[in-house]
Amino acid sequence: MTVASSKSLHDLSFSELTRILSEEGVILHHAKVLWRVIHGLGEIDLSDHPFLPPLRRWINANVGEGKAYFLELPEVVDEIHSSDGMTRKFLLRLRDGQIIETVLMSYDGRQTVCVSTQAGCAMGCVFCATGQMGFSRHLSPGEIVAQVLHARRVLKTVDPRKRIRNMVLMGMGEPLHNYDAVMVALETLSDRRGAGIGPTKISISTVGVVPSILRLANEQRPYRLAVSLHGSTEEERSALVPASKKWPLHSLIDACKKYGSITGKRIFFEWTLIAGKNDSTETAQRLVALLHGIDAHINLIPLNPTGGFSGSQSDSGSKFQKILIAGGFPCTFRQRRGIDVAAGCGMLKADKIGKSI
Ligand code: SAH
Ligand code: SF4
């Protein structure tokens, strides 16, 4: 068995793991014990656990370097703290050398982990550092799960009383471009016997992959949906978000309406304010009209500096917000966290890629 054909134990869903083990004569109760050790305790060294014979035999034969499965967390290339100590960014190296980023944030006493779903991103948004890197590959379910297990481990050493209860898919990559792997990872991470992050505390942020938004609705996935909009007309949006040429604004808005009527859930719209591009009062008025009939909350994001674009002045931002509120939409400003460690949105640029580290 070569390493290339070896798979992470973190990749397996609960049902896959129990099926594989039952074929080897391991009873369901023992499979659950293994699941708790891996996902609940976050252990990666199984050698000391007193597993009973069929399970112990299976582990010895199948888990380890050069065997069918491996169990490990990514190597930490770097850990950077913001000056206020509330944000930690981890630069993590995957087995094939790809580098991704995960962020652990402490907001108002709540611990939130921001994970990557791809190495790079194919969507090319012009103001986003990840988009400018291009796409390398999708992450596997286990590579998404392992980011949370790593962040949890760090949090335990910092303050063992705290737990990660919130998760946002707002790191590198477009989660709905990697739908199947993301759904397996989210099922695992929301499992109460594992990391136990409540499904309603998990936000999937998308650039607007229309077919996947409809799929999320039809499959009645319990997660929160955030749509990164940034433009109120086809022209305004596609100048910032090239993916808008593939999934035009009108079809995205239609999909959001369908999502709302199928699920009955509110949609969060993300709007990065960029000076002179999408922060005028006319744009705000058009946005009010565009979102008419949708149960929407708008999150205004101050642009994080990635070169080339400038963020809106705070007075245009607050005018923009007032128009949306007057139009009947809850509208809040996203707190800027971790800007000094390049851990803000769109700044998750794996700047070490390409260097021999
Ligand atoms: N691909 C997904 C999720 C990752 S990006 C998406 O686009 O939604 C997460 C959020 O960061 C998105 O709302 C995105 O628009 C925003 N973002 C990207 N670059 C940014 C920047 N330079 N400043 C502020 N927000 C940015
Ligand atoms: Fe990709 Fe999101 Fe960045 Fe756009 S904003 S390039 S979709 S990560």
Side-chain angles (χ1 to χ4, degrees), residues 27 67 80 130 144 150 167 171 190 226 229 243 261 297 311 326-327 344 349:
I27 59 169
K67 298 181 182 168
I80 307 158
T130 309
I144 299 169
H150 171 70
M167 176 173 170
S190 55
L229 205 54
S261 65
H297 179 123
K349 184 175 180 177

Side-chain angles (χ1 to χ4, degrees), residues 45-98:
D45 180 2
L46 301 180
S47 57
D48 284 342
H49 281 273
F51 297 117
L52 288 170
L55 179 55
R56 167 53 63 203
R57 255 199 314 275
W58 183 83
I59 289 171
N60 291 349
N62 292 287
V63 184
E65 244 355 275
K67 298 181 182 168
Y69 300 96
F70 59 88
L71 184 60
E72 62 185 28
L73 293 179
E75 179 195 343
V76 183
V77 176
D78 212 346
E79 176 178 330
I80 307 158
H81 300 187
S82 62
S83 48
D84 63 5
M86 307 301 263
T87 304
R88 282 159 198 266
K89 177 172 81 166
F90 309 108
L91 223 52
L92 304 175
R93 182 168 22 216
L94 306 176
R95 276 165 85 84
D96 64 351
Q98 290 292 341

Side-chain angles (χ1 to χ4, degrees), residues 191-213:
D191 188 312
R192 281 163 191 259
R193 295 159 298 201
I197 302 177
T200 57
K201 306 281 182 191
I202 296 177
S203 298
I204 300 176
S205 177
T206 178
V207 74
V209 181
V210 166
S212 303
I213 291 175

Side-chain angles (χ1 to χ4, degrees), residues 121 123-125 127-128 130-131 171 173-174 207:
C121 183
M123 303 296 155
C125 301
F127 53 88
C128 170
T130 309
E174 168 47 48
V207 74

Side-chain angles (χ1 to χ4, degrees), residues 270-305:
E270 310 284 312
W271 191 280
T272 300
L273 284 163
I274 306 175
K277 302 281 181 196
N278 66 358
D279 65 343
S280 69
T281 51
E282 295 75 29
T283 294
Q285 283 152 357
R286 275 196 303 265
L287 182 56
V288 168
L290 190 68
L291 297 181
H292 180 76
I294 301 180
D295 180 4
H297 179 123
I298 297 106
N299 238 325
L300 298 175
I301 314 175
L303 181 81
N304 294 324

